Amino acid sequence: MKDIVIFAGSIGNTYSIVKSVTKRIKTRILIVFVNEKYASFFRYNRLVYDTEDWKIDSIETFQKKIELWYDKYLFVEKPIVYCTSDETCILISKMREWFEDRFVLTLPSNFIISTFNNKSTSIVEAGKHNIRLPLSKDIHNVGDIVSVEKFNFPVILKPLDYRSLGMIGFKVLVCYDYLSFKSQSLSILEKGISFQCQEYIEGGDEKSWFYIFYRSKNGTIVDCIGKKTVQHPVGQGIMAIGTSCDNETIKNISRTFLNQIDYIGIGGIEYKQNKSDYYFIEMSTRSEGFIRISDIAGIPIPLISYCDICNLPYYTFVLKQQDGKLYVDIIIYLIHILKNSEWGKILKIPTLLFSRKTIINVYPFTYYWFIFKQAIRKLLKM
């Protein structure tokens, strides 16, 4: 069996890949966290062979570390590489030839990685393929701010890429009128940061759709579709609860698009529904944070990708998405409940978690224990 190497930026997404594959396959798994300090949570995990934290400030630093690290493990076959952060996708793309000589990548082409990890170029490229897009404008200066006065409000502000996300401090920010937009924009530009403004597509969380997929080298696509039932913050944040729900329109739009750009690997697309139209919001060129919903929906994307690359049969039965299955990121959902004072929902959590149709975003036990100790410390200080 081929080893697995995960270049990671998050805990839940990374462990979801581990759990998905090891449910049926026994193989060695190594994890490298880039610019995060999460390795300690996996050091005594029986499913993970080894894990490290790397501080990376340049492609040169990354190259030195990966070359030393690679020589240490004496791989018999090319390991399979997964990424769980935009940053690791970009880093690997800059050393593509070196990686392809030594690994099998689940990443798309360098063109796709560079294009769709930037909000500005992703909108332009998606528009070339007849996909509906919200009206957008990149904001670089005061003149750009003035041009947005003609937009229909509310609008949303978004960082252009993962680098500006760290500087700007939010994933999505809603501005309900031009004055608030102008105020926020001037504050961001003062920091020397450009960003994107889009007209807000009306509709609650139930109108936000996800499409996660794996497309093989021969063009076969397996996918899982559903709704972002609860997001935190509402309408503009991380998916706290998702529900699998097949959608032929989204499937046809997405498969046509992926075939046109010849996407090979794992990824995800987010859409916002307005009446019968579906608007492209963004694409991820890596495993999505909520990829575990594909397991309970009967389309285990990490496992399928591993089996495809290793020429192993997926299953003895036909893959068919099971609708109505729930994914719950329990930590994000609890934060959502507490911040919105929706106390009645706390009583429903046990029923939600122990339902056979629910799967939770997994974390190593050591991480839950860490969160528990932090909570106790805060309570003692009150």
Side-chain angles (χ1 to χ4, degrees):
M1 293 294 183
K2 291 182 181 293
D3 293 333
I4 290 175
V5 179
I6 305 175
F7 290 94
S10 64
I11 299 176
N13 188 356
T14 301
Y15 202 39
S16 292
I17 294 172
V18 173
K19 295 286 281 186
S20 179
V21 175
T22 57
K23 190 173 182 179
R24 291 178 178 259
I25 304 292
K26 289 185 178 180
T27 190
R28 189 170 65 162
I29 299 178
L30 302 104
I31 304 173
V32 175
F33 284 100
V34 174
N35 292 328
E36 297 291 353
K37 295 182 178 180
Y38 297 143
S40 60
F41 296 120
F42 290 85
R43 291 222 169 95
Y44 304 104
N45 189 286
R46 62 181 179 83
L47 301 177
V48 176
Y49 181 79
D50 198 10
T51 182
E52 297 182 14
D53 291 326
W54 290 0
K55 176 66 176 175
I56 302 298
D57 56 11
S58 67
I59 188 61
E60 291 77 19
T61 305
F62 182 64
Q63 183 173 349
K64 288 177 183 177
K65 281 187 173 289
I66 189 62
E67 288 175 352
L68 290 171
W69 179 91
Y70 179 81
D71 291 339
K72 184 169 65 173
Y73 286 102
L74 303 173
F75 296 106
V76 176
E77 297 183 72
K78 285 185 175 182
I80 301 173
V81 165
Y82 293 85
C83 288
T84 62
S85 73
D86 297 339
E87 182 177 15
T88 53
C89 289
I90 297 291
L91 286 169
I92 289 173
S93 73
K94 291 180 178 179
M95 291 181 61
R96 185 100 193 192
E97 186 175 346
W98 186 92
F99 268 91
E100 289 186 335
D101 285 343
R102 296 162 178 81
F103 299 90
V104 180
L105 304 181
T106 59
L107 303 178
S109 68
N110 280 7
F111 171 77
I112 292 174
I113 290 172
S114 62
T115 299
F116 288 96
N117 277 286
N118 181 286
K119 296 292 190 298
S120 179
T121 52
S122 66
I123 286 290
V124 173
E125 183 62 26
K128 294 177 183 178
H129 299 275
N130 298 316
I131 295 177
R132 284 191 175 275
L133 302 168
L135 182 61
S136 303
K137 175 70 178 179
D138 292 346
I139 309 298
H140 303 288
N141 51 52
V142 174
D144 294 330
I145 293 175
V146 174
S147 68
V148 172
E149 194 169 7
K150 299 177 182 178
F151 279 37
N152 293 317
F153 281 79
V155 297
I156 58 173
L157 311 186
K158 300 195 291 188
L160 290 176
D161 57 26
Y162 78 89
R163 297 179 191 86
S164 54
L165 173 61
M167 296 184 289
I168 208 168
F170 59 79
K171 182 180 178 183
V172 175
L173 180 67
V174 179
C175 296
Y176 292 93
D177 55 53
Y178 178 72
L179 289 178
S180 63
F181 160 73
K182 183 178 179 180
S183 174
Q184 291 287 350
S185 297
L186 290 172
S187 176
I188 296 168
L189 288 179
E190 283 176 3
K191 300 174 184 177
I193 305 170
S194 296
F195 59 96
Q196 187 175 82
C197 173
Q198 285 185 345
E199 284 191 350
Y200 182 78
I201 306 300
E202 293 184 8
D205 287 347
E206 75 284 353
K207 298 298 183 182
S208 294
W209 289 81
F210 63 82
Y211 175 87
I212 51 179
F213 63 89
Y214 168 71
R215 185 175 184 269
S216 68
K217 287 185 176 180
N218 66 13
T220 300
I221 299 174
V222 290
D223 40 31
C224 179
I225 306 169
K227 296 182 178 183
K228 293 187 171 185
T229 317
V230 178
Q231 296 183 83
H232 180 76
V234 175
Q236 52 183 302
I238 300 169
M239 189 170 86
I241 298 180
T243 307
S244 60
C245 181
D246 205 2
N247 184 310
E248 285 299 318
T249 302
I250 287 178
K251 184 179 293 183
N252 292 335
I253 292 170
S254 302
R255 289 185 174 184
T256 300
F257 177 48
L258 296 176
N259 288 331
Q260 287 174 347
I261 64 175
D262 195 24
Y263 192 113
I264 297 171
I266 284 180
I269 306 174
E270 181 181 345
Y271 295 94
K272 185 71 178 288
Q273 181 182 359
N274 184 12
K275 299 178 181 178
S276 60
D277 295 324
Y278 295 90
Y279 289 81
F280 175 94
I281 302 301
E282 62 183 14
M283 172 186 270
S284 293
T285 60
R286 54 171 172 78
S287 169
E288 289 279 20
F290 49 86
I291 198 166
R292 198 155 194 247
I293 194 171
S294 68
D295 284 18
I296 196 170
I299 315 288
I301 289 173
L303 174 62
I304 290 169
S305 64
Y306 182 90
C307 290
D308 176 67
I309 292 168
C310 294
N311 294 314
L312 300 171
Y314 301 161
Y315 284 102
T316 56
F317 53 86
V318 177
L319 293 169
K320 181 175 174 57
Q321 176 170 311
Q322 300 170 37
D323 288 344
K325 302 296 184 179
L326 301 178
Y327 159 92
V328 180
D329 188 321
I330 187 61
I331 293 175
I332 298 299
Y333 188 48
L334 281 171
I335 292 171
H336 173 82
I337 289 173
L338 295 172
K339 287 200 171 182
N340 291 283
S341 302
E342 297 176 341
W343 310 114
K345 290 183 178 179
I346 291 178
L347 300 176
K348 297 179 181 179
I349 287 179
T351 303
L352 185 66
L353 295 184
F354 292 105
S355 169
R356 290 186 177 181
K357 67 178 184 179
T358 300
I359 196 167
I360 67 169
N361 191 18
V362 287
Y363 299 94
F365 173 77
T366 48
Y367 183 68
Y368 287 113
W369 181 241
F370 171 77
I371 294 295
F372 176 74
K373 287 191 293 184
Q374 292 288 96
I376 293 297
R377 288 192 187 111
K378 285 184 179 180
L379 286 172
L380 292 174
K381 288 179 180 179
M382 291 175 67

